[in-house]
Amino acid sequence: MTEVFESNVAVVGAGHVGLTTAACLASLGHRVVCADVDVAKVDGLARGQTGIREPGLSELVADGLTTSRLKFVFGAAAAAPTADVVFLCVPTPMGTDGAADLTAVEAAVREIRGLLPSGCVVVNKSTVPVGTAARTAELLDRADVAVASNPEFLREGSAVEDFLNPDRIVIGARDPGAADRVAALYEGLGAPVLRTGWASAEITKYASNAYLATRLSFVNSIAELCERAGADIGDVTLGMGHDRRIGTSFLRPGPGWGGPCLPKDTHALLRSAEALGGEFPLLRAAIDTNARQRDLVVERVREAVGGRFAGVRVGLLGLTFKAGTDDVRDSPALAVAARMAAEGAELVAHDPAVPGPLPGALSDAPPGDRDRIRVVETAYAAADGAAALVVLTEWPEFRDLDWKRIAGLLLGESVIDTRNVLDASVLDEAGLSCRGVGRPAPRDPDLAARRPGGVVAG
């Protein structure tokens, strides 16, 4: 890396994006003050307790504290007065109408606008809809303070790696000097920098996530076609991926896409299109296809347990929205669980990153169904007495379970692998029927007869 010019940076928000941004910028040689409104979080971070499952992040925070290049304060007002650049990394959740809720962004701007030094640059790093940079400039009402849009492209589970080895850095600004100052913060990374306008930068983030979501919906539809035709989605996507125009990323079928970004970003882009007088039928279809995919998973489990869920125990492997993270926000696993709970299923779940109860995990379910999920410490406890076992998150350790032991614990013989993470031949040897996504149905006419003590749930 080349030498980076040292700047005073304020980061408002110590969530996943804010904390990663603060720790990584400190590691690049900048002096960073990270602010949050949660006193307990600030106190914990000041002691090096990140509270986030993210490879490399705890080490960077500890190093930043040791070198005094990183510190944590309560409230944006405490971080703003000495900043050359202020990054706004606050939540922009999906509102009731699907649009991004900018309450936190606007509150932060109002809090700091009178405290910023002349010549400072305020940067929207949160994912925000078109027009937010203009709105930020309007709220600041400071001719001596520039506004830029610098969207993040961080994946949970590899956020530090993504920040320090980015595919590109997008900077939207009206003032070329402001764009240069933001770009200088990343100079040592050697990544291509795209300088553009506010609106283009804002749309770039949404367009990227919407495209990835559409790819996932597409491959799930192809997976359904594969099942009907007796084809194998693994072979199909391998053949597709060799085409350099397509590539292999985001071509894995599953129970639907979710997490803290794709659902809210696709809805926000849809609402932005409508607000500007346009239509986006392709994105609407991707969202609808995703909801249908979750219903298809539920239907597959229902068939496996005899056609009804009422009073039936179902084991779940995986609760987070993807492996490598402890984040359950908008998890497709919980969306599937909520649908089964609503029909009376008793759910017993295990996830390596979710050690305890999930209060409110099924908040979308009717009140009487919200306690129908119980989190246990092992996969074997989740399988014990279950009519079927459902893999909902692609944790690699699930592949290496003792499947003969699980076969002895299950009441039924069905394992529904919605992530195609298991070796179906291993389960077959254990006397289990493994049904993947986009793969031919298993050979199971005499499976129960081959399995000693096997009981088919009805």
Side-chain angles (χ1 to χ4, degrees), residues 206-222 240 249-253 256-258 262-263 265-267 269-270 280-290:
Y206 280 116
S208 297
N209 277 357
Y211 174 71
L212 296 176
T214 301
R215 277 178 70 110
L216 290 172
S217 288
F218 175 82
V219 79
N220 278 333
S221 294
I222 292 296
M240 293 171 61
S249 65
F250 283 74
L251 283 183
R252 292 181 64 89
W257 40 267
L262 295 189
D265 290 356
T266 50
H267 281 90
L269 184 58
L270 198 62
F280 209 146
L282 176 62
L283 186 55
R284 166 57 65 189
I287 293 171
D288 292 343
T289 298
N290 192 52

Side-chain angles (χ1 to χ4, degrees), residues 99-194:
D101 183 347
L102 299 179
T103 301
V105 173
E106 296 190 356
V109 173
R110 290 188 177 96
E111 183 176 351
I112 65 175
R113 61 187 173 189
L115 303 171
L116 298 170
S118 181
C120 181
V121 182
V122 174
V123 181
N124 279 324
K125 199 159 192 66
S126 303
T127 302
V128 293
V130 178
T132 304
R135 174 60 175 160
T136 299
E138 178 186 352
L139 286 174
L140 283 172
D141 194 22
R142 292 274 304 269
D144 62 335
V145 174
V147 173
S149 177
N150 174 220
E152 54 87 10
F153 299 97
L154 307 179
R155 299 167 297 167
E156 288 196 29
S158 59
V160 170
E161 173 69 18
D162 291 342
F163 191 102
L164 297 177
N165 297 279
D167 293 329
R168 77 290 203 194
I169 296 165
V170 178
I171 303 171
R174 288 183 175 176
D175 178 355
D180 290 342
R181 292 181 66 186
V182 176
L185 298 174
Y186 302 99
E187 187 175 345
L189 301 182
V193 177
L194 169 64

Side-chain angles (χ1 to χ4, degrees), residues 12 15 63 77 278 300 357-358 374 410 429:
V12 180
D63 184 65
R300 178 160 296 174
L358 285 170
R374 177 164 58 91
L410 284 172
E429 290 178 5

Side-chain angles (χ1 to χ4, degrees), residues 219 223 226 231-241 251 253 420 437-440:
V219 79
C226 285
D232 190 314
I233 188 63
D235 292 340
V236 172
T237 55
L238 181 62
M240 293 171 61
L251 283 183
N420 290 348
V437 175
R439 291 175 170 170

Side-chain angles (χ1 to χ4, degrees), residues 119-416:
C120 181
V121 182
V122 174
V123 181
N124 279 324
K125 199 159 192 66
S126 303
T127 302
V128 293
V130 178
T132 304
R135 174 60 175 160
T136 299
E138 178 186 352
L139 286 174
L140 283 172
D141 194 22
R142 292 274 304 269
D144 62 335
V145 174
V147 173
S149 177
N150 174 220
E152 54 87 10
F153 299 97
L154 307 179
R155 299 167 297 167
E156 288 196 29
S158 59
V160 170
E161 173 69 18
D162 291 342
F163 191 102
L164 297 177
N165 297 279
D167 293 329
R168 77 290 203 194
I169 296 165
V170 178
I171 303 171
R174 288 183 175 176
D175 178 355
D180 290 342
R181 292 181 66 186
V182 176
L185 298 174
Y186 302 99
E187 187 175 345
L189 301 182
V193 177
L194 169 64
R195 291 173 172 83
T196 185
W198 285 341
S200 296
E202 290 164 342
I203 290 180
T204 296
K205 173 57 189 288
Y206 280 116
S208 297
N209 277 357
Y211 174 71
L212 296 176
T214 301
R215 277 178 70 110
L216 290 172
S217 288
F218 175 82
V219 79
N220 278 333
S221 294
I222 292 296
E224 183 182 2
L225 179 61
C226 285
E227 292 178 15
R228 294 177 182 275
D232 190 314
I233 188 63
D235 292 340
V236 172
T237 55
L238 181 62
M240 293 171 61
H242 278 298
D243 189 323
R244 287 172 294 179
R245 298 169 300 173
I246 298 173
T248 59
S249 65
F250 283 74
L251 283 183
R252 292 181 64 89
W257 40 267
C261 295
L262 295 189
K264 76 179 185 67
D265 290 356
T266 50
H267 281 90
L269 184 58
L270 198 62
R271 292 294 173 263
S272 291
E274 293 171 352
L276 292 169
E279 295 182 2
F280 209 146
L282 176 62
L283 186 55
R284 166 57 65 189
I287 293 171
D288 292 343
T289 298
N290 192 52
R292 180 174 180 273
Q293 183 69 11
R294 297 173 179 186
D295 291 335
L296 289 175
V297 170
V298 173
E299 178 59 31
R300 178 160 296 174
V301 181
R302 184 187 294 109
E303 292 174 358
V305 299
R308 60 181 178 82
F309 284 117
V312 175
R313 177 176 294 185
V314 179
L316 308 179
L317 296 185
L319 294 169
T320 57
F321 84 95
K322 70 172 185 177
T325 178
D326 55 3
D327 200 337
V328 297
R329 288 177 293 173
D330 229 323
S331 170
L334 292 182
V336 168
R339 285 162 167 80
M340 292 190 288
E343 296 185 36
E346 175 191 348
L347 304 173
V348 184
H350 167 70
D351 189 294
V354 183
L358 285 170
L362 301 183
S363 57
D364 292 336
D369 298 326
R370 294 176 188 172
D371 297 327
R372 290 185 179 273
I373 183 168
R374 177 164 58 91
V375 179
V376 293
E377 293 184 357
T378 69
Y380 305 106
D384 192 13
L389 192 62
V390 189
V391 177
L392 292 167
T393 310
E394 70 282 17
W395 290 101
E397 48 262 57
F398 292 158
R399 186 180 179 91
D400 298 324
L401 292 170
D402 183 342
W403 286 100
K404 290 185 178 180
R405 178 181 174 187
I406 286 179
L409 294 169
L410 284 172
L411 290 182
E413 78 278 353
S414 293
V415 176
I416 297 90

